[in-house]
């Protein structure tokens, strides 16, 4: 076991990990941040997406030791300081961008990463960017609509289908 | 996953010495290796992460005009930083996997793994790139040795990949929509020395050059120039996504698309 230190949601944290401890395991079991979900555990589904130094990564496919010293943001870090839902989260609620909610933490984190890179994405941009996030409930339409709405674009013409 | 020691050296020299340990393995971005470890397909004694080695990260231009990419450079950085100098390569990098995979996966890791359906091997082979390791320089034509096999010696590290810039180039990928690997991908590069065509995803032996098409395209760089050619189905991959004959046909179709796009 070795000690790893990083910043998670703005807070300096540390914990004992094995070499094989995944970032997702460290977050969930080491820090109790269970908002990061592990779906497939094979880097296909994207439920475990978090930001490492501002970039979206699949936390089930990164070792905690490999991101020692990094700044990590999880879904728990996406709310506003007063505890209300952040912009992307609120858009998912407003546009019914979730049903069971399992994929939602990863969807929100990927959407936030997209908007940081591309503040006004087209519908095609959103769909392309979310290729690595799988949702088995919604059929994606309302997720795409929520992301476009979070970017401040008018979505009244986007069909829910 | 079996237990292993984790090491993250800061220099190539430290990495080489860490990799000298028996059954130690290099770790790039881990987007293939970590799933393999979870399946217990690999059981290293130690993993040596190469992502903390500053001299192996980034994109630059060499004195000879070549595009130099550090072995530990993630795909997303290549997609962004190579776009001006080598747009076809940047476009390929920007369509590997998904955004989260591109933020971790590295060019050196992809090449060392030599997955038969990976994208980068096609670009490296078609461009006639040079693989620079900690001990030597390896020409692309000598690097790929078949399924998941390369000329790398145990413990040898891809420090840099140097791409000469072709006059025209494009990559056409017929994507397997679930995995986003290439069902068949063709990279075409028109250089001063002639046209090079490299195919990934199709052959059971991994990436290969389609020399017949290279000859025809060197004479006339147009999709019509290879209209009369065909690729034999022998040795092509057959699986639930496509038969060998289907992939053989895709090789020609994707070559024509790449030529039209170049």
């Amino acid at each position: 076991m070795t000690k790893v230190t990083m910043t998670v949601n703005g807070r300096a944290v540390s914990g004992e990990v094995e070499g094989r401890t995944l970032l997702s395991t460290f977050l969930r079991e080491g820090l109790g941040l269970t908002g990061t979900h592990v779906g497939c555990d094979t880097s296909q589904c994207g439920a475990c997406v978090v930001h490492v130094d501002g970039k979206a990564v699949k936390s089930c496919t990164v070792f905690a030791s490999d991101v020692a010293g990094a700044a990590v943001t999880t879904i728990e870090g996406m709310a506003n300081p007063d505890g209300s839902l952040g912009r992307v989260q609120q858009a998912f609620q407003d546009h019914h961008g979730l049903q069971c909610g399992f994929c939602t933490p990863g969807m929100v984190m990927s959407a936030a990463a997209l908007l940081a890179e591309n503040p006004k994405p087209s519908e095609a941009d959103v769909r392309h960017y979310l290729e690595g996030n799988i949702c088995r409930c919604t059929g994606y339409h309302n997720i795409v609509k929520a992301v476009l709405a979070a970017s401040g674009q008018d979505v009244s013409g986007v069909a829910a289908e | 996953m079996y237990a292993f020691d984790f090491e993250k050296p800061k220099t190539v020299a430290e990495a080489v010495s860490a990799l000298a340990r028996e059954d130690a393995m290099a770790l790039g971005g881990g987007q293939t290796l970590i799933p393999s470890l979870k399946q217990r397909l690999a059981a290293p004694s130690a993993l040596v992460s190469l992502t903390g080695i500053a001299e192996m990260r980034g994109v630059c231009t060499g004195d000879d005009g070549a595009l130099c990419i550090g072995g530990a450079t993630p795909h997303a950085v290549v997609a962004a930083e190579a776009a001006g100098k080598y747009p076809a390569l940047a476009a390929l990098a920007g369509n590997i996997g998904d955004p989260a995979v591109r933020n971790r996966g590295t060019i050196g890791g992809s090449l060392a793994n030599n997955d038969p359906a990976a994208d980068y091997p096609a670009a490296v082979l078609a461009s006639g790139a040079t693989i620079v390791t900690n001990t030597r320089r390896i020409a692309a034509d000598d690097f790929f040795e078949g399924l998941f096999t390369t000329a790398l010696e145990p413990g040898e590290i891809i420090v840099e990949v140097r791409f000469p810039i072709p006059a025209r180039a494009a990559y056409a990928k017929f994507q397997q929509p679930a995995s986003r690997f290439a069902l068949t991908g063709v990279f075409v590069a028109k250089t001063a020395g002639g046209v090079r065509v490299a195919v990934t995803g199709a052959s059971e032996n991994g990436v290969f050059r389609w020399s017949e098409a290279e000859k025809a395209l060197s004479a006339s760089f147009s999709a019509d120039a290879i209209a009369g050619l065909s690729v034999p189905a022998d040795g092509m991959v057959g699986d639930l996504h496509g038969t060998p004959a289907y992939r053989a046909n895709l090789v020609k179709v994707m070559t024509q698309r790449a030529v039209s796009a170049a």
Side-chain angles (χ1 to χ4, degrees), chain A residues 19-20 22 41 55-58 60-61 63 65-66 128-129 131-132, chain B residues 1 3-4 6 8 31 34 38 49 51 95 98-100 103-104 180:
Chain A
R20 61 181 168 176
L22 298 164
D41 206 19
K55 302 286 183 196
V57 306
K58 292 181 172 176
C60 82
T61 309
F63 293 114
S65 297
D66 215 5
H128 181 61
Y129 200 89
E131 275 183 346
Chain B
M1 221 177 329
F4 50 80
F6 187 87
K8 194 165 181 180
Q31 301 303 287
I34 295 176
K38 289 180 181 182
S49 170
T51 55
N95 204 31
D98 60 55
N103 283 332
R104 291 295 302 173
R180 292 176 295 281

PDB file of all heavy atoms in Angstrom, chain A residues 19-20 22 41 55-58 60-61 63 65-66 128-129 131-132, chain B residues 1 3-4 6 8 31 34 38 49 51 95 98-100 103-104 180:
ATOM      1  N   GLY A  19      -1.300  -0.667  -5.860  1.00  0.00           N
ATOM      2  CA  GLY A  19      -0.986  -0.275  -7.235  1.00  0.00           C
ATOM      3  C   GLY A  19      -2.189  -0.447  -8.144  1.00  0.00           C
ATOM      4  O   GLY A  19      -2.466   0.362  -9.025  1.00  0.00           O
ATOM      5  N   ARG A  20      -2.957  -1.515  -7.899  1.00  0.00           N
ATOM      6  CA  ARG A  20      -4.068  -1.843  -8.793  1.00  0.00           C
ATOM      7  C   ARG A  20      -5.361  -1.101  -8.435  1.00  0.00           C
ATOM      8  O   ARG A  20      -6.392  -1.350  -9.073  1.00  0.00           O
ATOM      9  CB  ARG A  20      -4.319  -3.344  -8.775  1.00  0.00           C
ATOM     10  CG  ARG A  20      -4.709  -3.870  -7.404  1.00  0.00           C
ATOM     11  CD  ARG A  20      -4.912  -5.371  -7.434  1.00  0.00           C
ATOM     12  NE  ARG A  20      -5.003  -5.905  -6.069  1.00  0.00           N
ATOM     13  CZ  ARG A  20      -5.254  -7.178  -5.790  1.00  0.00           C
ATOM     14  NH1 ARG A  20      -5.437  -8.036  -6.771  1.00  0.00           N
ATOM     15  NH2 ARG A  20      -5.300  -7.586  -4.552  1.00  0.00           N
ATOM     16  N   LEU A  22      -8.169   1.281  -8.686  1.00  0.00           N
ATOM     17  CA  LEU A  22      -8.660   2.164  -9.744  1.00  0.00           C
ATOM     18  C   LEU A  22      -9.099   3.493  -9.133  1.00  0.00           C
ATOM     19  O   LEU A  22      -9.496   3.552  -7.958  1.00  0.00           O
ATOM     20  CB  LEU A  22      -9.830   1.510 -10.461  1.00  0.00           C
ATOM     21  CG  LEU A  22      -9.486   0.190 -11.171  1.00  0.00           C
ATOM     22  CD1 LEU A  22     -10.752  -0.574 -11.515  1.00  0.00           C
ATOM     23  CD2 LEU A  22      -8.661   0.463 -12.428  1.00  0.00           C
ATOM     24  N   ASP A  41     -17.377  -1.437 -16.188  1.00  0.00           N
ATOM     25  CA  ASP A  41     -16.022  -1.703 -15.700  1.00  0.00           C
ATOM     26  C   ASP A  41     -15.076  -2.135 -16.819  1.00  0.00           C
ATOM     27  O   ASP A  41     -14.066  -2.784 -16.565  1.00  0.00           O
ATOM     28  CB  ASP A  41     -16.066  -2.761 -14.580  1.00  0.00           C
ATOM     29  CG  ASP A  41     -14.870  -2.643 -13.615  1.00  0.00           C
ATOM     30  OD1 ASP A  41     -14.239  -1.569 -13.595  1.00  0.00           O
ATOM     31  OD2 ASP A  41     -14.589  -3.616 -12.906  1.00  0.00           O
ATOM     32  N   LYS A  55     -10.030  17.312 -17.784  1.00  0.00           N
ATOM     33  CA  LYS A  55     -10.329  16.456 -18.936  1.00  0.00           C
ATOM     34  C   LYS A  55     -11.193  15.267 -18.512  1.00  0.00           C
ATOM     35  O   LYS A  55     -10.915  14.639 -17.481  1.00  0.00           O
ATOM     36  CB  LYS A  55      -9.028  15.903 -19.542  1.00  0.00           C
ATOM     37  CG  LYS A  55      -8.043  16.969 -19.984  1.00  0.00           C
ATOM     38  CD  LYS A  55      -8.500  17.645 -21.256  1.00  0.00           C
ATOM     39  CE  LYS A  55      -7.479  18.662 -21.748  1.00  0.00           C
ATOM     40  NZ  LYS A  55      -8.050  19.573 -22.736  1.00  0.00           N
ATOM     41  N   ALA A  56     -12.161  14.926 -19.330  1.00  0.00           N
ATOM     42  CA  ALA A  56     -13.018  13.770 -19.044  1.00  0.00           C
ATOM     43  C   ALA A  56     -12.204  12.487 -19.168  1.00  0.00           C
ATOM     44  O   ALA A  56     -11.511  12.283 -20.169  1.00  0.00           O
ATOM     45  CB  ALA A  56     -14.181  13.740 -20.031  1.00  0.00           C
ATOM     46  N   VAL A  57     -12.271  11.645 -18.154  1.00  0.00           N
ATOM     47  CA  VAL A  57     -11.633  10.329 -18.231  1.00  0.00           C
ATOM     48  C   VAL A  57     -12.553   9.290 -17.592  1.00  0.00           C
ATOM     49  O   VAL A  57     -13.408   9.637 -16.772  1.00  0.00           O
ATOM     50  CB  VAL A  57     -10.241  10.267 -17.549  1.00  0.00           C
ATOM     51  CG1 VAL A  57      -9.315  11.333 -18.071  1.00  0.00           C
ATOM     52  CG2 VAL A  57     -10.368  10.374 -16.039  1.00  0.00           C
ATOM     53  N   LYS A  58     -12.368   8.040 -17.997  1.00  0.00           N
ATOM     54  CA  LYS A  58     -13.152   6.961 -17.410  1.00  0.00           C
ATOM     55  C   LYS A  58     -12.413   6.479 -16.162  1.00  0.00           C
ATOM     56  O   LYS A  58     -11.344   5.877 -16.266  1.00  0.00           O
ATOM     57  CB  LYS A  58     -13.351   5.849 -18.448  1.00  0.00           C
ATOM     58  CG  LYS A  58     -14.252   6.382 -19.563  1.00  0.00           C
ATOM     59  CD  LYS A  58     -14.571   5.426 -20.660  1.00  0.00           C
ATOM     60  CE  LYS A  58     -15.639   6.074 -21.548  1.00  0.00           C
ATOM     61  NZ  LYS A  58     -15.981   5.283 -22.728  1.00  0.00           N
ATOM     62  N   CYS A  60     -12.813   4.167 -14.155  1.00  0.00           N
ATOM     63  CA  CYS A  60     -12.618   2.725 -13.971  1.00  0.00           C
ATOM     64  C   CYS A  60     -11.433   2.237 -14.783  1.00  0.00           C
ATOM     65  O   CYS A  60     -11.069   1.072 -14.713  1.00  0.00           O
ATOM     66  CB  CYS A  60     -13.872   1.945 -14.381  1.00  0.00           C
ATOM     67  SG  CYS A  60     -14.012   1.648 -16.158  1.00  0.00           S
ATOM     68  N   THR A  61     -10.833   3.110 -15.604  1.00  0.00           N
ATOM     69  CA  THR A  61      -9.735   2.694 -16.463  1.00  0.00           C
ATOM     70  C   THR A  61      -8.527   3.613 -16.262  1.00  0.00           C
ATOM     71  O   THR A  61      -7.802   3.945 -17.195  1.00  0.00           O
ATOM     72  CB  THR A  61     -10.217   2.604 -17.931  1.00  0.00           C
ATOM     73  OG1 THR A  61     -11.411   1.809 -17.953  1.00  0.00           O
ATOM     74  CG2 THR A  61      -9.219   1.910 -18.844  1.00  0.00           C
ATOM     75  N   PHE A  63      -5.567   4.217 -12.937  1.00  0.00           N
ATOM     76  CA  PHE A  63      -5.168   3.873 -11.570  1.00  0.00           C
ATOM     77  C   PHE A  63      -5.081   5.133 -10.722  1.00  0.00           C
ATOM     78  O   PHE A  63      -4.606   6.173 -11.193  1.00  0.00           O
ATOM     79  CB  PHE A  63      -3.821   3.142 -11.574  1.00  0.00           C
ATOM     80  CG  PHE A  63      -3.896   1.792 -12.225  1.00  0.00           C
ATOM     81  CD1 PHE A  63      -3.217   1.527 -13.401  1.00  0.00           C
ATOM     82  CD2 PHE A  63      -4.687   0.795 -11.676  1.00  0.00           C
ATOM     83  CE1 PHE A  63      -3.309   0.288 -14.016  1.00  0.00           C
ATOM     84  CE2 PHE A  63      -4.791  -0.452 -12.284  1.00  0.00           C
ATOM     85  CZ  PHE A  63      -4.106  -0.701 -13.456  1.00  0.00           C
ATOM     86  N   SER A  65      -3.077   5.760  -8.402  1.00  0.00           N
ATOM     87  CA  SER A  65      -1.673   6.180  -8.270  1.00  0.00           C
ATOM     88  C   SER A  65      -1.187   6.976  -9.476  1.00  0.00           C
ATOM     89  O   SER A  65      -0.262   7.774  -9.365  1.00  0.00           O
ATOM     90  CB  SER A  65      -0.768   4.949  -8.127  1.00  0.00           C
ATOM     91  OG  SER A  65      -1.091   4.247  -6.957  1.00  0.00           O
ATOM     92  N   ASP A  66      -1.810   6.734 -10.631  1.00  0.00           N
ATOM     93  CA  ASP A  66      -1.361   7.403 -11.860  1.00  0.00           C
ATOM     94  C   ASP A  66      -1.841   8.850 -11.923  1.00  0.00           C
ATOM     95  O   ASP A  66      -1.355   9.621 -12.737  1.00  0.00           O
ATOM     96  CB  ASP A  66      -1.854   6.631 -13.090  1.00  0.00           C
ATOM     97  CG  ASP A  66      -0.849   6.667 -14.236  1.00  0.00           C
ATOM     98  OD1 ASP A  66       0.249   7.206 -14.055  1.00  0.00           O
ATOM     99  OD2 ASP A  66      -1.186   6.141 -15.318  1.00  0.00           O
ATOM    100  N   HIS A 128     -21.818  13.235 -31.101  1.00  0.00           N
ATOM    101  CA  HIS A 128     -20.483  12.682 -31.330  1.00  0.00           C
ATOM    102  C   HIS A 128     -19.714  12.619 -30.011  1.00  0.00           C
ATOM    103  O   HIS A 128     -19.052  11.631 -29.704  1.00  0.00           O
ATOM    104  CB  HIS A 128     -19.741  13.537 -32.358  1.00  0.00           C
ATOM    105  CG  HIS A 128     -18.364  13.040 -32.687  1.00  0.00           C
ATOM    106  ND1 HIS A 128     -18.129  11.809 -33.245  1.00  0.00           N
ATOM    107  CD2 HIS A 128     -17.143  13.597 -32.501  1.00  0.00           C
ATOM    108  CE1 HIS A 128     -16.821  11.638 -33.404  1.00  0.00           C
ATOM    109  NE2 HIS A 128     -16.202  12.709 -32.944  1.00  0.00           N
ATOM    110  N   TYR A 129     -19.814  13.675 -29.207  1.00  0.00           N
ATOM    111  CA  TYR A 129     -19.036  13.730 -27.975  1.00  0.00           C
ATOM    112  C   TYR A 129     -19.505  12.691 -26.961  1.00  0.00           C
ATOM    113  O   TYR A 129     -18.720  12.193 -26.154  1.00  0.00           O
ATOM    114  CB  TYR A 129     -19.108  15.138 -27.357  1.00  0.00           C
ATOM    115  CG  TYR A 129     -17.978  15.398 -26.384  1.00  0.00           C
ATOM    116  CD1 TYR A 129     -16.770  15.928 -26.825  1.00  0.00           C
ATOM    117  CD2 TYR A 129     -18.104  15.089 -25.033  1.00  0.00           C
ATOM    118  CE1 TYR A 129     -15.721  16.140 -25.956  1.00  0.00           C
ATOM    119  CE2 TYR A 129     -17.053  15.299 -24.148  1.00  0.00           C
ATOM    120  CZ  TYR A 129     -15.866  15.831 -24.621  1.00  0.00           C
ATOM    121  OH  TYR A 129     -14.827  16.030 -23.751  1.00  0.00           O
ATOM    122  N   GLU A 131     -20.473   9.728 -27.547  1.00  0.00           N
ATOM    123  CA  GLU A 131     -20.383   8.350 -28.063  1.00  0.00           C
ATOM    124  C   GLU A 131     -19.921   7.353 -27.011  1.00  0.00           C
ATOM    125  O   GLU A 131     -20.282   6.189 -27.050  1.00  0.00           O
ATOM    126  CB  GLU A 131     -19.411   8.297 -29.251  1.00  0.00           C
ATOM    127  CG  GLU A 131     -20.071   8.648 -30.562  1.00  0.00           C
ATOM    128  CD  GLU A 131     -19.113   8.523 -31.736  1.00  0.00           C
ATOM    129  OE1 GLU A 131     -17.896   8.419 -31.512  1.00  0.00           O
ATOM    130  OE2 GLU A 131     -19.600   8.538 -32.881  1.00  0.00           O
ATOM    131  N   GLY A 132     -19.126   7.814 -26.072  1.00  0.00           N
ATOM    132  CA  GLY A 132     -18.599   6.902 -25.055  1.00  0.00           C
ATOM    133  C   GLY A 132     -19.444   6.845 -23.792  1.00  0.00           C
ATOM    134  O   GLY A 132     -18.991   6.319 -22.779  1.00  0.00           O
TER     135      GLY A 132
ATOM    136  N   MET B   1      -8.153  -8.387 -11.169  1.00  0.00           N
ATOM    137  CA  MET B   1      -6.788  -7.948 -11.422  1.00  0.00           C
ATOM    138  C   MET B   1      -5.852  -8.492 -10.344  1.00  0.00           C
ATOM    139  O   MET B   1      -6.143  -8.361  -9.172  1.00  0.00           O
ATOM    140  CB  MET B   1      -6.771  -6.413 -11.360  1.00  0.00           C
ATOM    141  CG  MET B   1      -5.939  -5.774 -12.382  1.00  0.00           C
ATOM    142  SD  MET B   1      -5.985  -3.960 -12.362  1.00  0.00           S
ATOM    143  CE  MET B   1      -7.576  -3.476 -11.792  1.00  0.00           C
ATOM    144  N   ALA B   3      -2.411  -8.364  -8.104  1.00  0.00           N
ATOM    145  CA  ALA B   3      -1.665  -7.237  -7.533  1.00  0.00           C
ATOM    146  C   ALA B   3      -0.337  -7.037  -8.270  1.00  0.00           C
ATOM    147  O   ALA B   3       0.239  -7.980  -8.813  1.00  0.00           O
ATOM    148  CB  ALA B   3      -1.407  -7.484  -6.057  1.00  0.00           C
ATOM    149  N   PHE B   4       0.109  -5.789  -8.291  1.00  0.00           N
ATOM    150  CA  PHE B   4       1.415  -5.459  -8.890  1.00  0.00           C
ATOM    151  C   PHE B   4       1.916  -4.185  -8.224  1.00  0.00           C
ATOM    152  O   PHE B   4       1.132  -3.459  -7.606  1.00  0.00           O
ATOM    153  CB  PHE B   4       1.284  -5.240 -10.411  1.00  0.00           C
ATOM    154  CG  PHE B   4       0.176  -4.287 -10.775  1.00  0.00           C
ATOM    155  CD1 PHE B   4       0.353  -2.921 -10.681  1.00  0.00           C
ATOM    156  CD2 PHE B   4      -1.066  -4.769 -11.191  1.00  0.00           C
ATOM    157  CE1 PHE B   4      -0.678  -2.044 -11.008  1.00  0.00           C
ATOM    158  CE2 PHE B   4      -2.099  -3.892 -11.513  1.00  0.00           C
ATOM    159  CZ  PHE B   4      -1.893  -2.527 -11.412  1.00  0.00           C
ATOM    160  N   PHE B   6       3.315  -0.390  -8.534  1.00  0.00           N
ATOM    161  CA  PHE B   6       3.091   0.706  -9.477  1.00  0.00           C
ATOM    162  C   PHE B   6       4.237   1.693  -9.380  1.00  0.00           C
ATOM    163  O   PHE B   6       4.573   2.149  -8.295  1.00  0.00           O
ATOM    164  CB  PHE B   6       1.776   1.409  -9.138  1.00  0.00           C
ATOM    165  CG  PHE B   6       1.384   2.432 -10.164  1.00  0.00           C
ATOM    166  CD1 PHE B   6       0.642   2.066 -11.277  1.00  0.00           C
ATOM    167  CD2 PHE B   6       1.774   3.759 -10.042  1.00  0.00           C
ATOM    168  CE1 PHE B   6       0.300   3.003 -12.237  1.00  0.00           C
ATOM    169  CE2 PHE B   6       1.442   4.696 -11.006  1.00  0.00           C
ATOM    170  CZ  PHE B   6       0.692   4.317 -12.098  1.00  0.00           C
ATOM    171  N   LYS B   8       6.004   5.265 -11.244  1.00  0.00           N
ATOM    172  CA  LYS B   8       5.797   6.365 -12.185  1.00  0.00           C
ATOM    173  C   LYS B   8       7.063   7.201 -12.281  1.00  0.00           C
ATOM    174  O   LYS B   8       7.205   8.231 -11.618  1.00  0.00           O
ATOM    175  CB  LYS B   8       4.610   7.220 -11.736  1.00  0.00           C
ATOM    176  CG  LYS B   8       4.147   8.164 -12.826  1.00  0.00           C
ATOM    177  CD  LYS B   8       2.790   8.753 -12.544  1.00  0.00           C
ATOM    178  CE  LYS B   8       2.378   9.671 -13.682  1.00  0.00           C
ATOM    179  NZ  LYS B   8       1.078  10.280 -13.474  1.00  0.00           N
ATOM    180  N   GLN B  31      -5.726   2.307 -21.757  1.00  0.00           N
ATOM    181  CA  GLN B  31      -7.088   2.090 -22.241  1.00  0.00           C
ATOM    182  C   GLN B  31      -7.303   0.690 -22.819  1.00  0.00           C
ATOM    183  O   GLN B  31      -8.437   0.227 -22.946  1.00  0.00           O
ATOM    184  CB  GLN B  31      -7.473   3.177 -23.258  1.00  0.00           C
ATOM    185  CG  GLN B  31      -7.382   4.581 -22.670  1.00  0.00           C
ATOM    186  CD  GLN B  31      -8.245   4.765 -21.429  1.00  0.00           C
ATOM    187  OE1 GLN B  31      -9.465   4.848 -21.518  1.00  0.00           O
ATOM    188  NE2 GLN B  31      -7.622   4.818 -20.254  1.00  0.00           N
ATOM    189  N   ILE B  34      -5.450  -1.822 -19.089  1.00  0.00           N
ATOM    190  CA  ILE B  34      -6.206  -1.968 -17.835  1.00  0.00           C
ATOM    191  C   ILE B  34      -7.373  -2.953 -18.008  1.00  0.00           C
ATOM    192  O   ILE B  34      -7.533  -3.854 -17.180  1.00  0.00           O
ATOM    193  CB  ILE B  34      -6.627  -0.594 -17.264  1.00  0.00           C
ATOM    194  CG1 ILE B  34      -5.368   0.202 -16.869  1.00  0.00           C
ATOM    195  CG2 ILE B  34      -7.530  -0.775 -16.040  1.00  0.00           C
ATOM    196  CD1 ILE B  34      -5.629   1.627 -16.388  1.00  0.00           C
ATOM    197  N   LYS B  38      -7.784  -6.502 -15.929  1.00  0.00           N
ATOM    198  CA  LYS B  38      -9.007  -6.900 -15.221  1.00  0.00           C
ATOM    199  C   LYS B  38      -9.439  -8.304 -15.623  1.00  0.00           C
ATOM    200  O   LYS B  38      -9.990  -9.050 -14.814  1.00  0.00           O
ATOM    201  CB  LYS B  38     -10.137  -5.908 -15.533  1.00  0.00           C
ATOM    202  CG  LYS B  38      -9.945  -4.544 -14.893  1.00  0.00           C
ATOM    203  CD  LYS B  38     -11.114  -3.641 -15.251  1.00  0.00           C
ATOM    204  CE  LYS B  38     -10.943  -2.272 -14.642  1.00  0.00           C
ATOM    205  NZ  LYS B  38     -12.081  -1.381 -14.939  1.00  0.00           N
ATOM    206  N   SER B  49       4.365   3.346 -15.299  1.00  0.00           N
ATOM    207  CA  SER B  49       3.606   4.359 -16.035  1.00  0.00           C
ATOM    208  C   SER B  49       4.553   5.301 -16.755  1.00  0.00           C
ATOM    209  O   SER B  49       5.507   5.809 -16.164  1.00  0.00           O
ATOM    210  CB  SER B  49       2.723   5.162 -15.075  1.00  0.00           C
ATOM    211  OG  SER B  49       2.180   6.280 -15.759  1.00  0.00           O
ATOM    212  N   THR B  51       3.396   8.040 -18.327  1.00  0.00           N
ATOM    213  CA  THR B  51       2.698   9.313 -18.562  1.00  0.00           C
ATOM    214  C   THR B  51       3.273  10.470 -17.751  1.00  0.00           C
ATOM    215  O   THR B  51       2.877  11.613 -17.958  1.00  0.00           O
ATOM    216  CB  THR B  51       1.196   9.175 -18.254  1.00  0.00           C
ATOM    217  OG1 THR B  51       1.060   8.692 -16.908  1.00  0.00           O
ATOM    218  CG2 THR B  51       0.516   8.203 -19.200  1.00  0.00           C
ATOM    219  N   ASN B  95     -10.682  10.695 -33.885  1.00  0.00           N
ATOM    220  CA  ASN B  95     -11.808   9.772 -34.044  1.00  0.00           C
ATOM    221  C   ASN B  95     -11.485   8.378 -33.479  1.00  0.00           C
ATOM    222  O   ASN B  95     -12.161   7.397 -33.794  1.00  0.00           O
ATOM    223  CB  ASN B  95     -12.190   9.679 -35.532  1.00  0.00           C
ATOM    224  CG  ASN B  95     -13.632   9.242 -35.711  1.00  0.00           C
ATOM    225  OD1 ASN B  95     -14.489   9.533 -34.881  1.00  0.00           O
ATOM    226  ND2 ASN B  95     -13.904   8.504 -36.779  1.00  0.00           N
ATOM    227  N   ASP B  98     -13.507   7.243 -27.898  1.00  0.00           N
ATOM    228  CA  ASP B  98     -14.410   8.335 -27.540  1.00  0.00           C
ATOM    229  C   ASP B  98     -13.584   9.394 -26.807  1.00  0.00           C
ATOM    230  O   ASP B  98     -12.407   9.174 -26.538  1.00  0.00           O
ATOM    231  CB  ASP B  98     -15.563   7.798 -26.674  1.00  0.00           C
ATOM    232  CG  ASP B  98     -15.077   7.168 -25.386  1.00  0.00           C
ATOM    233  OD1 ASP B  98     -14.353   7.838 -24.625  1.00  0.00           O
ATOM    234  OD2 ASP B  98     -15.398   5.994 -25.128  1.00  0.00           O
ATOM    235  N   PRO B  99     -14.185  10.544 -26.469  1.00  0.00           N
ATOM    236  CA  PRO B  99     -13.369  11.629 -25.897  1.00  0.00           C
ATOM    237  C   PRO B  99     -12.593  11.224 -24.640  1.00  0.00           C
ATOM    238  O   PRO B  99     -11.428  11.623 -24.484  1.00  0.00           O
ATOM    239  CB  PRO B  99     -14.403  12.711 -25.568  1.00  0.00           C
ATOM    240  CG  PRO B  99     -15.510  12.477 -26.536  1.00  0.00           C
ATOM    241  CD  PRO B  99     -15.572  10.986 -26.715  1.00  0.00           C
ATOM    242  N   ALA B 100     -13.213  10.453 -23.742  1.00  0.00           N
ATOM    243  CA  ALA B 100     -12.527  10.082 -22.506  1.00  0.00           C
ATOM    244  C   ALA B 100     -11.347   9.153 -22.796  1.00  0.00           C
ATOM    245  O   ALA B 100     -10.289   9.260 -22.171  1.00  0.00           O
ATOM    246  CB  ALA B 100     -13.504   9.425 -21.531  1.00  0.00           C
ATOM    247  N   ASN B 103      -8.447  11.195 -24.113  1.00  0.00           N
ATOM    248  CA  ASN B 103      -7.726  11.975 -23.103  1.00  0.00           C
ATOM    249  C   ASN B 103      -6.690  11.152 -22.353  1.00  0.00           C
ATOM    250  O   ASN B 103      -5.824  11.705 -21.689  1.00  0.00           O
ATOM    251  CB  ASN B 103      -8.711  12.581 -22.095  1.00  0.00           C
ATOM    252  CG  ASN B 103      -9.432  13.788 -22.672  1.00  0.00           C
ATOM    253  OD1 ASN B 103      -8.901  14.482 -23.535  1.00  0.00           O
ATOM    254  ND2 ASN B 103     -10.647  14.039 -22.198  1.00  0.00           N
ATOM    255  N   ARG B 104      -6.777   9.828 -22.427  1.00  0.00           N
ATOM    256  CA  ARG B 104      -5.822   8.967 -21.718  1.00  0.00           C
ATOM    257  C   ARG B 104      -4.929   8.177 -22.670  1.00  0.00           C
ATOM    258  O   ARG B 104      -3.731   8.063 -22.444  1.00  0.00           O
ATOM    259  CB  ARG B 104      -6.555   7.964 -20.813  1.00  0.00           C
ATOM    260  CG  ARG B 104      -7.243   8.550 -19.611  1.00  0.00           C
ATOM    261  CD  ARG B 104      -6.321   9.176 -18.582  1.00  0.00           C
ATOM    262  NE  ARG B 104      -5.312   8.265 -18.044  1.00  0.00           N
ATOM    263  CZ  ARG B 104      -4.317   8.631 -17.232  1.00  0.00           C
ATOM    264  NH1 ARG B 104      -4.198   9.886 -16.868  1.00  0.00           N
ATOM    265  NH2 ARG B 104      -3.450   7.750 -16.788  1.00  0.00           N
ATOM    266  N   ARG B 180     -16.096   1.227 -31.878  1.00  0.00           N
ATOM    267  CA  ARG B 180     -15.466   2.341 -32.586  1.00  0.00           C
ATOM    268  C   ARG B 180     -14.058   2.002 -33.081  1.00  0.00           C
ATOM    269  O   ARG B 180     -13.320   2.858 -33.510  1.00  0.00           O
ATOM    270  CB  ARG B 180     -15.489   3.627 -31.756  1.00  0.00           C
ATOM    271  CG  ARG B 180     -16.897   4.161 -31.574  1.00  0.00           C
ATOM    272  CD  ARG B 180     -16.975   5.366 -30.683  1.00  0.00           C
ATOM    273  NE  ARG B 180     -16.595   5.060 -29.325  1.00  0.00           N
ATOM    274  CZ  ARG B 180     -17.398   4.463 -28.438  1.00  0.00           C
ATOM    275  NH1 ARG B 180     -18.619   4.150 -28.776  1.00  0.00           N
ATOM    276  NH2 ARG B 180     -16.982   4.211 -27.234  1.00  0.00           N
TER     277      ARG B 180
END
